[in-house]
Amino acid sequence: LDVTLPPSLTTPSESPPTTVLCRGGFRFVVKEVIKSIPYPVAIVDEIEDDAEFDDKDMFATVLGDDEEDDDDDDDDDDATKYTSMSSTEVLQRTMLGIQSVVSQKLDEANSKQLSLLEKQILESSGFMMDPNAMEQARAEEMVAVWEVFQASLVDDIPPQDRKFAVAMMAAELADMNNDIRQQVLLTRDSQERLRIVLKELDEMVGMARARKVASQITEKVDDDDRELKVGQPQLPSWAKTIVKGTRVEYFWNEEYGWV
């Protein structure tokens, strides 16, 4: 990020503007692009939370025309419980929501196992890395990032910065969709941003619990109908002959028969 300081901030006043190459951790809106070659140079405005003045014009190119959403009224009742929460309660519940999401992702990754046929197909295709192992590694990394992040919150940082950091981390670790991420970025009220991510976290946690219950029910039905055999399960001999390029025949439907 190249930041060009105005002449009033340089010394002496008759000197040309000073260009500083720096790296920062703040949001900004591009006001004007000065040049793009050999590297971009632009005039930007920093986006701060809880601004004391109205600067909505900064988002003109992002927000576009104001459009009324007919579905907004349906969400009013659902959002009431979040608006009635205190600042401390919203922050605490958001933290708990992130913890639940990362824990659920790790549990789901650990519970997945490849069948013998899937393993044979992967080996035949030359893909030796287990996709489930990759997903498990990502989940473990997510848990580690969350633990380090929680430790960093012990530092003496302003409340607005803490709320901003928690909301942004929630959107990242929970892998929220782009619509939610856009709301998180454009929202200027740090408390309202937490409410947005908390509502999304609650829905994600609820869906994950529903999937787990449905999976347990399915497994119970499968166990009742499955014929149990003693010994190590083996792949059928014909499965080992199937490789990429093998011609196979299967029954399509009554009209086309065997294909």
Side-chain angles (χ1 to χ4, degrees):
L1 172 64
D2 287 324
V3 181
T4 301
L5 303 178
S8 59
L9 298 182
T10 60
T11 305
S13 59
E14 62 271 9
S15 301
T18 301
T19 300
V20 181
L21 181 62
C22 61
R23 184 174 183 177
F26 61 89
R27 300 170 299 160
F28 62 88
V29 171
V30 177
K31 300 291 290 184
E32 180 183 357
V33 177
I34 306 301
K35 66 176 182 178
S36 57
I37 299 176
Y39 48 83
V41 176
I43 298 176
V44 302
D45 275 350
E46 183 179 357
I47 305 175
E48 296 180 349
D49 278 351
D50 307 323
E52 297 179 356
F53 57 93
D54 187 3
D55 53 1
K56 293 181 181 178
D57 59 316
M58 287 181 12
F59 304 97
T61 58
V62 179
L63 295 176
D65 298 332
D66 292 332
E67 297 181 358
E68 294 294 335
D69 190 352
D70 296 335
D71 296 333
D72 288 346
D73 295 338
D74 299 334
D75 298 333
D76 290 342
D77 295 338
D78 189 41
T80 302
K81 63 178 182 180
Y82 296 101
T83 57
S84 62
M85 295 181 186
S86 65
S87 176
T88 302
E89 184 179 4
V90 173
L91 184 59
Q92 290 176 344
R93 287 195 51 177
T94 302
M95 298 280 288
L96 292 174
I98 301 175
Q99 179 65 53
S100 297
V101 167
V102 297
S103 298
Q104 288 173 343
K105 287 182 178 292
L106 182 59
D107 291 341
E108 291 178 358
N110 290 334
S111 63
K112 293 181 179 179
Q113 294 183 354
L114 291 179
S115 65
L116 291 176
L117 181 58
E118 289 173 328
K119 291 180 180 179
Q120 180 69 20
I121 294 174
L122 288 175
E123 292 176 359
S124 301
S125 62
F127 188 78
M128 302 305 297
M129 184 62 182
D130 185 351
N132 290 343
M134 297 172 60
E135 185 175 348
Q136 182 178 359
R138 287 194 294 267
E140 292 174 350
E141 181 182 6
M142 184 186 304
V143 172
V145 169
W146 172 237
E147 291 177 352
V148 173
F149 176 77
Q150 291 183 91
S152 68
L153 291 180
V154 178
D155 298 336
D156 186 17
I157 61 177
Q160 271 69 25
D161 291 346
R162 180 179 286 105
K163 293 178 182 179
F164 175 82
V166 171
M168 290 297 180
M169 185 59 71
E172 182 65 25
L173 292 182
D175 194 20
M176 297 182 180
N177 59 48
N178 287 337
D179 291 337
I180 297 297
R181 290 173 184 265
Q182 186 181 47
Q183 293 182 47
V184 167
L185 286 172
L186 295 180
T187 300
R188 310 299 301 284
D189 188 333
S190 57
Q191 186 72 6
E192 178 61 24
R193 184 185 297 107
L194 282 176
R195 295 192 187 102
I196 292 173
V197 296
L198 175 57
K199 181 176 182 294
E200 188 69 12
L201 286 171
D202 286 347
E203 293 179 359
M204 297 177 72
V205 171
M207 288 297 296
R209 289 173 178 169
R211 287 196 303 268
K212 185 176 182 180
V213 172
S215 177
Q216 291 174 344
I217 294 175
T218 303
E219 291 176 357
K220 180 63 170 64
V221 173
D222 290 344
D223 288 340
D224 293 341
D225 297 338
R226 185 181 294 116
E227 181 183 356
L228 299 180
K229 295 181 179 180
V230 178
Q232 183 70 21
Q234 299 292 331
L235 270 176
S237 58
W238 58 262
K240 299 179 181 179
T241 64
I242 298 179
V243 295
K244 186 176 182 181
T246 302
R247 296 177 62 86
V248 297
E249 186 180 30
Y250 58 94
F251 189 82
W252 182 265
N253 56 29
E254 294 295 338
E255 180 180 357
Y256 292 100
W258 288 91
V259 179

